[in-house]
Amino acid sequence: MRIGVPKEIKTHEYRVGLTPASVREYVSRGHDVIVETGAGSGIVADDAAYIQAGASIAADASEVFAKADMVIKVKEPQPSEWVMLREGQILFTYLHLAPDPEQTKGLIASGCTAVAYETVTDRDGSLPLLAPMSEVAGRLSIEAAGQALRRSNGGSGVLLGGVPGVQAGRVVVIGGGVVGTHAARMAVGLGAEVTIIDRSIPRLRQLDDMFQGRVRTRFSTTDAIESEVAGADAVIGAVLIAGASAPKLVTRKMLGLMKPHSVLVDVAIDQGGCFEMSHPTTHSDPTFEVDGIIHYCVANMPGAVPQTSSHALNNATLPFGLSLANKGLDAIRSNAGLLAGLNVHRGIVTNEAVAQSLGLECQDGVTALGA
């Protein structure tokens, strides 16, 4: 199979779909890899590194899309990219379709087979291709909160870790999954006071044991969220419903209860955001203010640390990508995890959560793929 790797074009996105090390793995198994010139510049991998790994270099994205049987990316295709997709071609990348009807229409119109990293599952039902970027985003969320809290950036001027004799900042993490756990770990490490809110009692028990009493845990109710947000210096939105739009857990009304110039970091923004007033921002203009509260809603947070992110992502995606390259659609038919990752196939939406979020008809993946 011919594998295509275009350069990412989303604002301040420096990750790359395949590292040179991953290219070498594909080539060693008999696949051809074509990489757009400069695609690896964000991870300090020049064209020569890709050529040494066995890839050929394309002059532009149009050449990559025209020649590839499977396109491997990081972020969702942009309008100029989805029009280059075609029937019979596999797209393997993050999609986050639930809050993005235009992209969904574009993929439907293209006829391609789109497999989303964020809905691929493992044998235990976990999300192995979302996990590494969730780990990165969770850790970055505390850095982002700390930056946004600086008075020069519009924040309240609180140092999350405090200093001796001065109260530490209060961090509330809504969601105790991968993002929330790593956010809490970073916040605890800084010395902040941390509360984690989650709707799973078993998960709250795990977190209590994991942090050995260094964090407070609360069961998720509207009252709990409202009271914790009111006293927070920084709130991290870390909720996830796989494939679906994120629920709006912090309402605009709650902003009036918060400390002036405190910070909301919405890590769920890829799925529409879990704060009512959230809208996507970029690394070049990451924050906005609503009712005196700073909102940080960058939709590709891990793109800020592409060396770490690209290698972590490739470590996770490589086995699944190789399976797709080796077997094509049969890999999806025979692997329940990849089948869960199938979002669109030949003009049909195959992920129920996406379809429900967008009000579209859905067909199960097995039926859509056919025998």
Side-chain angles (χ1 to χ4, degrees):
M1 183 178 284
R2 176 162 282 187
I3 312 302
V5 184
K7 185 175 182 177
E8 296 296 321
I9 60 174
K10 192 162 187 173
T11 303
H12 287 288
E13 180 52 70
Y14 302 108
R15 290 173 288 180
V16 62
L18 291 181
T19 63
S22 292
V23 168
R24 189 175 179 184
E25 295 299 315
Y26 280 88
V27 172
S28 70
R29 288 160 175 79
H31 303 292
D32 295 325
V33 181
I34 180 169
V35 178
E36 182 181 354
T37 183
S41 60
I43 63 167
V44 199
D46 59 16
D47 291 351
Y50 281 97
I51 291 171
Q52 185 175 6
S56 59
I57 304 299
D60 53 33
S62 61
E63 184 180 352
V64 172
F65 280 85
K67 293 181 176 180
D69 302 306
M70 176 165 67
V71 174
I72 297 181
K73 284 176 43 59
V74 178
K75 290 304 293 178
E76 70 279 359
Q78 302 302 294
S80 64
E81 294 175 312
W82 72 56
V83 297
M84 293 189 284
L85 292 164
R86 64 180 185 275
E87 186 170 341
Q89 194 172 53
I90 298 172
L91 172 64
F92 192 38
T93 189
Y94 287 115
L95 292 177
H96 300 291
L97 294 179
D100 194 347
E102 293 306 311
Q103 184 202 169
T104 306
K105 292 175 185 176
L107 295 182
I108 289 171
S110 75
C112 78
T113 298
V115 180
Y117 292 162
E118 73 272 11
T119 61
V120 171
T121 58
D122 221 333
R123 292 181 179 179
D124 61 357
S126 62
L127 304 170
L129 308 191
L130 187 61
M133 295 304 92
S134 295
E135 292 167 349
V136 172
R139 293 177 181 226
L140 283 176
S141 70
I142 300 302
E143 292 187 14
Q147 289 283 341
L149 279 168
R150 293 184 180 183
R151 197 70 189 96
S152 57
N153 293 329
S156 61
V158 169
L159 180 66
L160 287 178
V163 293
V166 179
Q167 183 175 341
R170 294 185 63 184
V171 175
V172 173
V173 180
I174 304 176
V178 177
V179 170
T181 300
H182 283 263
R185 183 170 291 153
M186 289 291 285
V188 167
L190 286 174
E193 296 181 13
V194 182
T195 299
I196 304 176
I197 301 174
D198 198 89
R199 63 181 181 178
S200 168
I201 294 295
R203 181 57 182 167
L204 291 175
R205 290 193 181 107
Q206 291 175 342
L207 291 166
D208 190 59
D209 289 341
M210 182 185 303
F211 287 101
Q212 298 182 333
R214 291 178 295 173
V215 304
R216 296 170 60 239
T217 58
R218 291 197 65 176
F219 182 73
S220 183
T221 64
T222 300
D223 279 350
I225 292 172
E226 188 173 85
S227 64
E228 292 296 335
V229 162
D233 296 295
V235 179
I236 311 300
V239 300
L240 173 70
I241 301 174
S245 296
K248 307 297 184 184
L249 298 180
V250 175
T251 65
R252 183 165 191 173
K253 184 178 180 180
M254 291 181 190
L255 302 186
L257 304 174
M258 297 181 68
K259 300 177 183 179
H261 306 290
S262 53
V263 172
L264 298 176
V265 179
D266 199 339
V267 189
I269 193 64
D270 272 335
Q271 293 296 130
C274 60
F275 307 143
E276 183 179 356
M277 302 308 295
S278 291
H279 63 75
T281 61
T282 66
H283 288 291
S284 58
D285 189 16
T287 64
F288 59 91
E289 185 175 325
V290 178
D291 297 342
I293 306 301
I294 308 302
H295 289 60
Y296 179 101
C297 303
V298 174
N300 61 328
M301 291 176 66
V305 286
Q307 291 252 32
T308 298
S309 298
S310 294
H311 289 288
L313 180 60
N314 272 243
N315 290 344
T317 59
L318 184 60
F320 293 93
L322 286 173
S323 180
L324 286 167
N326 291 336
K327 302 177 183 178
L329 297 184
D330 284 340
I332 304 174
R333 293 186 181 99
S334 62
N335 185 305
L338 281 172
L339 187 63
L342 183 66
N343 277 212
V344 179
H345 176 65
R346 292 182 179 174
I348 300 170
V349 175
T350 58
N351 182 284
E352 186 174 353
V354 169
Q356 287 182 351
S357 294
L358 296 175
L360 298 173
E361 292 185 6
C362 180
Q363 188 176 94
D364 69 89
V366 173
T367 302
L369 289 167

mmCIF file of all heavy atoms in Angstrom, residues 2 27 31 45-46 48 72 85 101 119 128-129 140 178 200-201 203 219 260 262 292 302 330 333 339 347 366 368:
data_model
loop_
_atom_site.group_PDB
_atom_site.id
_atom_site.type_symbol
_atom_site.label_atom_id
_atom_site.label_comp_id
_atom_site.label_asym_id
_atom_site.label_seq_id
_atom_site.Cartn_x
_atom_site.Cartn_y
_atom_site.Cartn_z
ATOM 1 N N ARG A 2 0.416 2.315 -0.623
ATOM 2 C CA ARG A 2 1.145 3.581 -0.604
ATOM 3 C C ARG A 2 0.552 4.467 0.489
ATOM 4 O O ARG A 2 -0.632 4.798 0.464
ATOM 5 C CB ARG A 2 1.080 4.278 -1.958
ATOM 6 C CG ARG A 2 1.753 5.667 -1.958
ATOM 7 C CD ARG A 2 2.072 6.159 -3.343
ATOM 8 N NE ARG A 2 3.267 5.505 -3.854
ATOM 9 C CZ ARG A 2 3.867 5.842 -4.990
ATOM 10 N NH1 ARG A 2 3.358 6.816 -5.743
ATOM 11 N NH2 ARG A 2 4.936 5.219 -5.385
ATOM 12 N N VAL A 27 8.050 0.857 5.604
ATOM 13 C CA VAL A 27 8.878 0.471 4.449
ATOM 14 C C VAL A 27 9.414 -0.944 4.617
ATOM 15 O O VAL A 27 9.452 -1.729 3.653
ATOM 16 C CB VAL A 27 10.027 1.479 4.266
ATOM 17 C CG1 VAL A 27 11.016 0.984 3.204
ATOM 18 C CG2 VAL A 27 9.476 2.851 3.869
ATOM 19 N N HIS A 31 5.700 -1.472 2.243
ATOM 20 C CA HIS A 31 4.826 -0.369 1.844
ATOM 21 C C HIS A 31 5.648 0.810 1.327
ATOM 22 O O HIS A 31 6.798 1.008 1.727
ATOM 23 C CB HIS A 31 3.954 0.068 3.016
ATOM 24 C CG HIS A 31 3.129 -1.045 3.586
ATOM 25 N ND1 HIS A 31 2.089 -1.623 2.902
ATOM 26 C CD2 HIS A 31 3.222 -1.713 4.774
ATOM 27 C CE1 HIS A 31 1.559 -2.595 3.638
ATOM 28 N NE2 HIS A 31 2.223 -2.662 4.778
ATOM 29 N N ALA A 45 12.811 17.007 11.985
ATOM 30 C CA ALA A 45 13.125 15.897 11.085
ATOM 31 C C ALA A 45 13.018 16.442 9.667
ATOM 32 O O ALA A 45 11.920 16.729 9.184
ATOM 33 C CB ALA A 45 12.162 14.738 11.291
ATOM 34 N N ASP A 46 14.157 16.612 8.992
ATOM 35 C CA ASP A 46 14.134 17.184 7.653
ATOM 36 C C ASP A 46 13.843 16.116 6.598
ATOM 37 O O ASP A 46 13.720 14.920 6.914
ATOM 38 C CB ASP A 46 15.439 17.920 7.343
ATOM 39 C CG ASP A 46 16.673 17.022 7.435
ATOM 40 O OD1 ASP A 46 16.525 15.775 7.444
ATOM 41 O OD2 ASP A 46 17.794 17.566 7.492
ATOM 42 N N ALA A 48 15.698 14.848 4.450
ATOM 43 C CA ALA A 48 16.777 13.853 4.365
ATOM 44 C C ALA A 48 16.542 12.711 5.347
ATOM 45 O O ALA A 48 16.838 11.536 5.039
ATOM 46 C CB ALA A 48 18.124 14.524 4.636
ATOM 47 N N ILE A 72 -2.215 9.394 6.398
ATOM 48 C CA ILE A 72 -2.050 9.403 7.850
ATOM 49 C C ILE A 72 -1.709 10.818 8.285
ATOM 50 O O ILE A 72 -0.730 11.412 7.834
ATOM 51 C CB ILE A 72 -0.957 8.418 8.298
ATOM 52 C CG1 ILE A 72 -1.358 6.979 7.943
ATOM 53 C CG2 ILE A 72 -0.709 8.545 9.800
ATOM 54 C CD1 ILE A 72 -0.345 5.929 8.363
ATOM 55 N N LEU A 85 -9.666 14.230 -0.805
ATOM 56 C CA LEU A 85 -9.916 12.827 -0.480
ATOM 57 C C LEU A 85 -10.824 12.205 -1.531
ATOM 58 O O LEU A 85 -11.589 12.893 -2.200
ATOM 59 C CB LEU A 85 -10.557 12.715 0.907
ATOM 60 C CG LEU A 85 -9.659 13.104 2.086
ATOM 61 C CD1 LEU A 85 -10.502 13.334 3.333
ATOM 62 C CD2 LEU A 85 -8.597 12.038 2.327
ATOM 63 N N PRO A 101 -19.978 19.766 11.822
ATOM 64 C CA PRO A 101 -20.829 19.278 10.726
ATOM 65 C C PRO A 101 -20.232 19.515 9.338
ATOM 66 O O PRO A 101 -20.446 18.710 8.428
ATOM 67 C CB PRO A 101 -22.136 20.060 10.903
ATOM 68 C CG PRO A 101 -21.764 21.265 11.709
ATOM 69 C CD PRO A 101 -20.663 20.818 12.608
ATOM 70 N N THR A 119 -11.774 7.329 18.481
ATOM 71 C CA THR A 119 -12.799 6.326 18.801
ATOM 72 C C THR A 119 -12.306 4.892 18.612
ATOM 73 O O THR A 119 -13.064 3.946 18.838
ATOM 74 C CB THR A 119 -14.090 6.537 17.975
ATOM 75 O OG1 THR A 119 -13.800 6.415 16.581
ATOM 76 C CG2 THR A 119 -14.699 7.899 18.258
ATOM 77 N N PRO A 128 -6.922 3.750 23.155
ATOM 78 C CA PRO A 128 -5.451 3.765 23.164
ATOM 79 C C PRO A 128 -4.810 4.848 22.315
ATOM 80 O O PRO A 128 -3.672 5.238 22.572
ATOM 81 C CB PRO A 128 -5.086 2.377 22.633
ATOM 82 C CG PRO A 128 -6.249 1.989 21.765
ATOM 83 C CD PRO A 128 -7.445 2.545 22.482
ATOM 84 N N LEU A 129 -5.517 5.343 21.295
ATOM 85 C CA LEU A 129 -4.927 6.364 20.435
ATOM 86 C C LEU A 129 -5.257 7.770 20.917
ATOM 87 O O LEU A 129 -4.608 8.728 20.503
ATOM 88 C CB LEU A 129 -5.383 6.175 18.982
ATOM 89 C CG LEU A 129 -5.190 4.771 18.406
ATOM 90 C CD1 LEU A 129 -5.422 4.769 16.898
ATOM 91 C CD2 LEU A 129 -3.817 4.216 18.742
ATOM 92 N N LEU A 140 -0.284 19.768 30.004
ATOM 93 C CA LEU A 140 -0.189 21.132 29.484
ATOM 94 C C LEU A 140 -1.279 22.044 30.060
ATOM 95 O O LEU A 140 -1.081 23.261 30.144
ATOM 96 C CB LEU A 140 -0.303 21.123 27.963
ATOM 97 C CG LEU A 140 0.921 20.688 27.163
ATOM 98 C CD1 LEU A 140 0.584 20.658 25.678
ATOM 99 C CD2 LEU A 140 2.118 21.603 27.418
ATOM 100 N N VAL A 178 -8.115 10.174 31.800
ATOM 101 C CA VAL A 178 -6.687 10.344 31.525
ATOM 102 C C VAL A 178 -6.283 11.811 31.624
ATOM 103 O O VAL A 178 -5.297 12.158 32.283
ATOM 104 C CB VAL A 178 -6.333 9.777 30.134
ATOM 105 C CG1 VAL A 178 -4.861 10.015 29.820
ATOM 106 C CG2 VAL A 178 -6.646 8.280 30.070
ATOM 107 N N SER A 200 -18.145 8.780 38.500
ATOM 108 C CA SER A 200 -17.938 7.360 38.805
ATOM 109 C C SER A 200 -17.357 7.208 40.198
ATOM 110 O O SER A 200 -16.222 7.621 40.458
ATOM 111 C CB SER A 200 -16.994 6.730 37.777
ATOM 112 O OG SER A 200 -16.560 5.452 38.213
ATOM 113 N N ILE A 201 -18.112 6.595 41.080
ATOM 114 C CA ILE A 201 -17.615 6.342 42.432
ATOM 115 C C ILE A 201 -16.389 5.430 42.407
ATOM 116 O O ILE A 201 -15.391 5.703 43.088
ATOM 117 C CB ILE A 201 -18.719 5.754 43.332
ATOM 118 C CG1 ILE A 201 -19.839 6.794 43.563
ATOM 119 C CG2 ILE A 201 -18.147 5.296 44.669
ATOM 120 C CD1 ILE A 201 -19.393 8.010 44.339
ATOM 121 N N ARG A 203 -14.137 5.172 40.134
ATOM 122 C CA ARG A 203 -13.002 5.953 39.673
ATOM 123 C C ARG A 203 -12.533 6.915 40.753
ATOM 124 O O ARG A 203 -11.319 7.106 40.941
ATOM 125 C CB ARG A 203 -13.372 6.737 38.404
ATOM 126 C CG ARG A 203 -12.229 7.563 37.831
ATOM 127 C CD ARG A 203 -11.019 6.704 37.530
ATOM 128 N NE ARG A 203 -9.898 7.495 37.033
ATOM 129 C CZ ARG A 203 -8.658 7.044 36.934
ATOM 130 N NH1 ARG A 203 -8.363 5.795 37.325
ATOM 131 N NH2 ARG A 203 -7.698 7.807 36.461
ATOM 132 N N PHE A 219 -18.179 13.643 44.051
ATOM 133 C CA PHE A 219 -19.078 13.076 43.053
ATOM 134 C C PHE A 219 -19.701 14.216 42.258
ATOM 135 O O PHE A 219 -20.052 15.268 42.804
ATOM 136 C CB PHE A 219 -20.173 12.256 43.734
ATOM 137 C CG PHE A 219 -21.122 11.605 42.769
ATOM 138 C CD1 PHE A 219 -20.742 10.516 42.002
ATOM 139 C CD2 PHE A 219 -22.417 12.099 42.621
ATOM 140 C CE1 PHE A 219 -21.626 9.923 41.109
ATOM 141 C CE2 PHE A 219 -23.300 11.519 41.735
ATOM 142 C CZ PHE A 219 -22.904 10.423 40.982
ATOM 143 N N PRO A 260 -12.991 36.900 40.318
ATOM 144 C CA PRO A 260 -12.636 37.700 39.137
ATOM 145 C C PRO A 260 -11.276 37.292 38.565
ATOM 146 O O PRO A 260 -10.331 37.053 39.316
ATOM 147 C CB PRO A 260 -12.597 39.130 39.679
ATOM 148 C CG PRO A 260 -13.475 39.104 40.880
ATOM 149 C CD PRO A 260 -13.296 37.742 41.478
ATOM 150 N N SER A 262 -10.288 34.567 37.310
ATOM 151 C CA SER A 262 -9.877 33.159 37.392
ATOM 152 C C SER A 262 -9.947 32.547 35.991
ATOM 153 O O SER A 262 -10.371 33.194 35.035
ATOM 154 C CB SER A 262 -10.757 32.400 38.383
ATOM 155 O OG SER A 262 -12.127 32.563 38.084
ATOM 156 N N GLY A 292 -15.552 38.504 32.947
ATOM 157 C CA GLY A 292 -14.412 38.623 33.845
ATOM 158 C C GLY A 292 -13.648 37.336 34.077
ATOM 159 O O GLY A 292 -12.700 37.299 34.878
ATOM 160 N N PRO A 302 -1.606 19.669 22.346
ATOM 161 C CA PRO A 302 -0.345 18.929 22.221
ATOM 162 C C PRO A 302 0.527 19.382 21.059
ATOM 163 O O PRO A 302 1.714 19.051 21.010
ATOM 164 C CB PRO A 302 -0.820 17.480 22.025
ATOM 165 C CG PRO A 302 -2.167 17.436 22.641
ATOM 166 C CD PRO A 302 -2.767 18.770 22.316
ATOM 167 N N ASP A 330 -10.126 -5.078 5.243
ATOM 168 C CA ASP A 330 -10.225 -6.326 6.015
ATOM 169 C C ASP A 330 -9.700 -6.150 7.437
ATOM 170 O O ASP A 330 -10.130 -6.849 8.357
ATOM 171 C CB ASP A 330 -9.463 -7.452 5.324
ATOM 172 C CG ASP A 330 -10.212 -8.016 4.126
ATOM 173 O OD1 ASP A 330 -11.446 -7.819 4.048
ATOM 174 O OD2 ASP A 330 -9.571 -8.649 3.262
ATOM 175 N N ARG A 333 -12.672 -4.925 9.287
ATOM 176 C CA ARG A 333 -13.664 -5.997 9.449
ATOM 177 C C ARG A 333 -13.253 -6.977 10.544
ATOM 178 O O ARG A 333 -14.104 -7.516 11.267
ATOM 179 C CB ARG A 333 -13.832 -6.750 8.124
ATOM 180 C CG ARG A 333 -14.459 -5.936 6.999
ATOM 181 C CD ARG A 333 -14.700 -6.827 5.788
ATOM 182 N NE ARG A 333 -15.273 -6.080 4.660
ATOM 183 C CZ ARG A 333 -14.579 -5.627 3.626
ATOM 184 N NH1 ARG A 333 -13.256 -5.847 3.578
ATOM 185 N NH2 ARG A 333 -15.164 -4.953 2.654
ATOM 186 N N LEU A 339 -12.835 -1.197 13.997
ATOM 187 C CA LEU A 339 -14.242 -1.034 13.618
ATOM 188 C C LEU A 339 -14.885 0.088 14.436
ATOM 189 O O LEU A 339 -15.665 0.890 13.907
ATOM 190 C CB LEU A 339 -15.004 -2.347 13.813
ATOM 191 C CG LEU A 339 -16.444 -2.386 13.316
ATOM 192 C CD1 LEU A 339 -16.507 -2.183 11.803
ATOM 193 C CD2 LEU A 339 -17.102 -3.716 13.699
ATOM 194 N N GLY A 347 -19.572 7.615 2.151
ATOM 195 C CA GLY A 347 -20.725 8.503 2.274
ATOM 196 C C GLY A 347 -21.689 8.163 3.388
ATOM 197 O O GLY A 347 -22.756 8.782 3.493
ATOM 198 N N VAL A 366 -20.161 -2.797 10.253
ATOM 199 C CA VAL A 366 -20.129 -4.093 9.580
ATOM 200 C C VAL A 366 -21.005 -4.060 8.330
ATOM 201 O O VAL A 366 -20.613 -4.506 7.252
ATOM 202 C CB VAL A 366 -20.589 -5.216 10.538
ATOM 203 C CG1 VAL A 366 -20.724 -6.536 9.788
ATOM 204 C CG2 VAL A 366 -19.601 -5.360 11.701
ATOM 205 N N ALA A 368 -22.022 -1.342 6.702
ATOM 206 C CA ALA A 368 -21.487 -0.379 5.750
ATOM 207 C C ALA A 368 -20.323 -0.953 4.944
ATOM 208 O O ALA A 368 -20.214 -0.715 3.732
ATOM 209 C CB ALA A 368 -21.040 0.886 6.476
#
